[in-house]
Amino acid sequence: MKAICFYFQIHQPFRLKRYRFFDIGNDHYYYDDFANDDILTRIAQRSYIPAAETLLHMLETYPNFRCAFSISGVALEQLEQYVPEFIDIMKKLIATGRVEILGETYAHSLSSLIDPEEFANQVRVHDQKIMSLFGVKPKVLRNTELIYCDEMAPQILELSYKGIITEGAKHILGWKSPNYVYCAASAPKLKILLRNAKLSDDISRRFSDSDWEAYPLTADKYIDWIASTPQEEQIINLFMNLETFGEFHPRETGIFQFLEALPYFAQDRGIEFVTPTDAVSRLKPVGELSILHPISWADEARDTSAWLGNKLQDEAFQKLYSVAERVRLCEDRRLKQDWYYLQGSDHLFYMSTKHLADGAAHSTFSPYETPFQAFTNYMNVLADFIVRVEEQYPLSIENEELNALLTTIRNQEREIETLNKEVISMRKNIEHYNEEHKLREKAEAPAEKKTKKTAARKTTRKCGTKKAADSKE
């Protein structure tokens, strides 16, 4: 039976306020709270909440419907602060047992491309956030912007994930179809789910385009397209931003009615819905897939050039991660929070000078007038951040010295941990000994009393016998 795997992405960055050169060293708060509140609240009211309510109704109406979400850690923080009612709806969705939450980097960062240690740390922190909010542990990973390559697979497997979802890029697949489960060439136990770009974009990009030859798109027509794919193809992965529903395509286009009708027609055509974990657990890979260079779901190129395609972006990226080791060493909670917020891939995206296939520029989605303004503002913020890091660990310390210091600290931490365990063990032994000693004393006390009583009786008898003998005399 053919299956549909629906996945929805939610991410909103902490947008930066206008930060001038003269603010460096004087102002350590970098964020535009008004914009963050206003944008997130607006999108939540137009898209997130009605889309989630629609999905909840679909789950109640169709017992076989399933889907998955991936929500970045920084988006979860903002949702908790500005739109807590959405978190409540998500809890209801997850409580059905048919909605899966995926793992990803907490900061929606590009750390997987430069710093494996930071990547692993962010994935673990995101897992902890998901567990604390929803009581579940992600089993399938969705890296930032679906970025993936062979080099990442062993680490992802080591992080206890069963699968990874990424883009079904044409230049990688060649004649192969994205509608199968594959396994990673560098870690065969890791399963790969590939986004069906055409069918996903038919909804996310083209649904309300009146110039599109397939307009208007209806649920029955769409399910017919899926049903007409070759019978042997296993799974159709439809991955898109949740903003597709209500934000990119307003309610007036009929996008919510389209979504709600999909399970009805899928059921009629014998098509089921699965979560990513269902897919990687139940479906066998048809072969290995090797991806030598990082791919993503952005632009026609499906590479990382949307974030690292010019000198501005490279400069900001390298400068940011040049202090990664030092930030991980410090215990300043506020500094570490800023570290996450500044890693958001959006800040680099705003610096892009590329043009999209439809002629629009990346700056269309940017709060800045130009990529150069985005770069200047970010680098001013980053300069102040690095000053704060240097106050903790001076940049005059060479990396080799820093690594040696880090190694010493880690060794000391392990030694302290070992000694603490020994102390705990010794305390338990002492407590156990004291308990046994008390029990032994209790057990011996009656016997000792009995011995004393017996001795007293014998003494009394002896005294009595002696008195009787004396009286006879």
Side-chain angles (χ1 to χ4, degrees):
M1 183 182 285
K2 200 178 295 295
I4 294 173
C5 181
F6 249 132
Y7 145 76
F8 306 106
Q9 165 68 22
I10 296 177
H11 167 64
Q12 291 295 331
F14 277 91
R15 293 166 183 82
L16 303 175
K17 66 183 181 182
R18 293 299 187 268
Y19 195 88
R20 301 171 303 163
F21 173 80
F22 299 103
D23 292 325
I24 299 171
N26 299 313
D27 182 3
H28 301 322
Y29 191 78
Y30 312 133
Y31 313 105
D32 188 338
D33 291 335
F34 176 80
N36 290 326
D37 185 355
D38 180 63
I39 292 171
L40 184 67
T41 302
R42 174 177 56 80
I43 294 175
Q45 296 302 325
R46 294 181 57 176
S47 173
Y48 296 163
I49 292 175
E53 289 174 342
T54 299
L55 291 168
L56 187 59
H57 183 257
M58 292 163 66
L59 289 159
E60 293 168 349
T61 307
Y62 304 100
N64 294 326
F65 179 71
R66 287 170 169 76
C67 65
F69 280 83
S70 182
I71 312 175
S72 68
V74 291
L76 284 169
E77 285 189 33
Q78 293 181 76
L79 288 165
E80 286 182 285
Q81 182 176 355
Y82 302 126
V83 198
E85 59 269 33
F86 178 76
I87 299 294
D88 294 334
I89 299 174
M90 280 303 306
K91 289 178 179 178
K92 291 179 182 178
L93 287 169
I94 294 168
T96 64
R98 289 180 282 137
V99 173
E100 179 178 358
I101 292 286
L102 304 181
E104 69 163 83
T105 57
Y106 188 90
H108 200 73
S109 73
L110 303 179
S111 54
S112 60
L113 298 174
I114 192 171
D115 192 334
E117 186 175 349
E118 179 63 25
F119 172 67
N121 176 62
Q122 283 194 36
V123 169
R124 292 190 189 101
V125 171
H126 184 266
D127 280 358
Q128 292 166 8
K129 184 70 173 179
I130 295 300
M131 178 59 75
S132 67
L133 276 179
F134 306 118
V136 295
K137 185 185 184 308
K139 298 178 181 177
V140 173
L141 184 72
R142 183 265 190 200
N143 191 18
T144 304
E145 305 295 340
L146 299 191
I147 291 173
Y148 172 77
C149 68
D150 289 344
E151 188 178 346
M152 301 173 190
Q155 185 179 19
I156 293 169
L157 190 64
E158 189 178 332
L159 289 168
S160 301
Y161 284 97
K162 295 181 178 180
I164 176 78
I165 68 174
T166 188
E167 177 69 13
K170 292 179 182 178
H171 69 280
I172 296 297
L173 287 172
W175 57 268
K176 296 177 182 176
S177 168
N179 303 332
Y180 292 98
V181 174
Y182 294 88
C183 63
S186 55
K189 290 185 179 180
L190 184 72
K191 308 290 180 58
I192 300 176
L193 295 177
L194 299 172
R195 173 178 177 264
N196 186 306
K198 181 193 178 301
L199 289 171
S200 295
D201 290 347
D202 284 342
I203 299 176
S204 63
R205 293 188 179 185
R206 293 182 278 271
F207 181 82
S208 59
D209 182 4
S210 58
D211 293 329
W212 180 33
E213 59 184 12
Y215 181 85
L217 182 61
T218 59
D220 56 338
K221 182 196 296 186
Y222 189 75
I223 293 297
D224 281 344
W225 291 348
I226 292 175
S228 65
T229 57
Q231 186 63 36
E232 64 275 11
E233 293 188 348
Q234 304 168 311
I235 186 169
I236 310 296
N237 296 307
L238 304 175
F239 304 158
M240 61 197 72
N241 289 303
L242 192 62
E243 290 96 326
T244 296
F245 306 94
E247 180 67 15
F248 299 160
H249 305 289
R251 179 185 290 275
E252 295 74 27
T253 62
I255 189 75
F256 291 108
Q257 291 86 343
F258 167 82
L259 176 64
E260 193 166 358
L262 288 174
Y264 173 81
F265 291 102
Q267 183 176 283
D268 190 52
R269 296 301 299 268
I271 297 172
E272 65 176 333
F273 288 85
V274 296
T275 63
T277 294
D278 291 336
V280 299
S281 300
R282 288 164 42 185
L283 301 177
K284 292 184 178 180
V286 295
E288 291 185 352
L289 189 65
S290 180
I291 303 175
L292 299 178
H293 304 288
I295 61 171
S296 75
W297 69 348
D299 303 345
E300 289 299 311
R302 300 293 197 259
D303 57 14
T304 60
S305 59
W307 307 275
L308 300 172
N310 62 42
K311 291 182 179 180
L312 302 178
Q313 294 167 314
D314 287 338
E315 170 67 18
F317 187 60
Q318 296 296 331
K319 192 75 171 177
L320 174 67
Y321 284 97
S322 68
V323 296
E325 286 284 359
R326 288 168 169 77
V327 177
R328 283 195 289 271
L329 275 171
C330 79
E331 296 298 329
D332 187 326
R333 191 183 69 85
R334 179 63 185 277
L335 196 69
K336 288 198 170 187
Q337 185 182 57
D338 289 337
W339 169 242
Y340 283 145
Y341 296 171
L342 293 178
Q343 285 186 76
S345 62
D346 310 76
H347 303 306
L348 295 170
F349 185 83
Y350 300 149
M351 302 174 199
S352 177
T353 51
K354 288 184 64 177
H355 284 267
L356 307 178
D358 58 5
H362 281 214
S363 57
T364 304
F365 307 98
S366 170
Y368 302 98
E369 294 178 6
T370 67
F372 307 100
Q373 189 184 86
F375 173 77
T376 301
N377 199 69
Y378 183 79
M379 293 304 284
N380 285 342
V381 169
L382 192 56
D384 183 79
F385 176 77
I386 291 175
V387 168
R388 291 164 59 205
V389 173
E390 188 171 7
E391 289 174 356
Q392 300 275 343
Y393 293 97
L395 298 181
S396 57
I397 301 175
E398 296 293 334
N399 283 334
E400 290 184 3
E401 293 180 61
L402 185 64
N403 289 332
L405 176 62
L406 181 61
T407 302
T408 302
I409 291 172
R410 286 174 176 168
N411 289 339
Q412 288 175 344
E413 286 177 349
R414 281 195 289 266
E415 187 176 348
I416 290 170
E417 186 179 349
T418 302
L419 291 172
N420 284 335
K421 287 180 180 178
E422 289 178 4
V423 169
I424 292 170
S425 178
M426 290 176 69
R427 282 177 180 169
K428 287 181 178 179
N429 289 337
I430 291 170
E431 288 173 3
H432 184 65
Y433 172 78
N434 289 337
E435 287 177 5
E436 285 188 344
H437 186 64
K438 287 177 182 178
L439 290 172
R440 194 179 301 115
E441 284 182 342
K442 287 181 181 179
E444 291 175 351
E448 188 176 340
K449 286 180 181 179
K450 190 174 180 181
T451 303
K452 288 180 179 178
K453 285 180 180 179
T454 304
R457 285 181 191 141
K458 287 181 179 179
T459 303
T460 304
R461 285 174 187 166
K462 285 180 180 179
C463 290
T465 303
K466 188 176 181 183
K467 286 179 180 178
D470 290 341
S471 62
K472 284 179 182 181
E473 290 177 0

